[in-house]
Amino acid sequence: MSTRFDAIGLVVTDMAAAVAFYRRLGFAFPDDAGEQPHAEADAGGGVRLLLDTEETVRSFHPGWRAPEGGGRASLALRCDTPGEVDALYDSLVGDGYRGELKPWDAFWGQRYAVVLDPDGNGVDLFAPLSATAE
């Protein structure tokens, strides 16, 4: 048996809102992705980000229910510099997205922050503290 990591899939309430959020983070979804029940974007390194509406998931898994409470998974996106973590966090929060953890210098050597996507999934933004602006 041989497996390889291929994709991360998220179930979304509002496809247009989810696509808009992830486009802000650099994911190149097709032009009509916001109107589709399923959308995919290249996440780099041979991995894809998959978005499916709740209705799509229920079409093949009728008993599926959205989880309640806090998230158990997050996406982690590396920025080039600590300043980019701050700027991206501020830009997203300024545009109305929810900030869960303001940027800080983490003890493990990263500038680190967390924003939430429209469905409450955590998106970690980080950069090595040793990275400098170019």
Side-chain angles (χ1 to χ4, degrees):
M1 178 179 186
S2 175
T3 64
R4 66 182 172 89
F5 189 62
D6 184 73
I8 294 177
L10 299 175
V11 180
V12 302
T13 304
D14 180 336
M15 181 65 80
V19 167
F21 176 81
Y22 285 104
R23 279 183 176 149
R24 289 285 310 271
L25 295 172
F27 292 91
F29 284 94
D31 290 342
D32 66 345
E35 296 88 44
Q36 301 301 316
H38 172 85
E40 298 184 14
D42 181 359
V47 176
R48 298 169 296 144
L49 176 61
L50 314 176
L51 304 178
D52 287 290
T53 63
E54 291 178 354
E55 295 79 18
T56 299
V57 173
R58 285 189 190 107
S59 74
F60 60 84
H61 186 349
W64 181 86
R65 300 286 176 260
E68 295 181 18
R72 294 181 180 253
S74 63
L75 301 180
L77 303 179
R78 183 179 178 146
C79 298
D80 288 333
T81 66
E84 286 183 8
V85 172
D86 294 3
L88 183 53
Y89 179 91
D90 290 343
S91 176
L92 291 166
V93 170
D95 286 344
Y97 295 106
R98 292 180 291 162
E100 184 171 64
L101 184 61
K102 291 181 180 181
W104 67 292
D105 292 342
F107 61 86
W108 56 84
Q110 295 175 337
R111 185 70 174 166
Y112 186 86
V114 180
V115 294
L116 300 178
D117 77 4
D119 289 290
N121 296 304
V123 176
D124 304 351
L125 307 173
F126 72 94
L129 286 173
S130 60
T132 58
E134 296 184 18

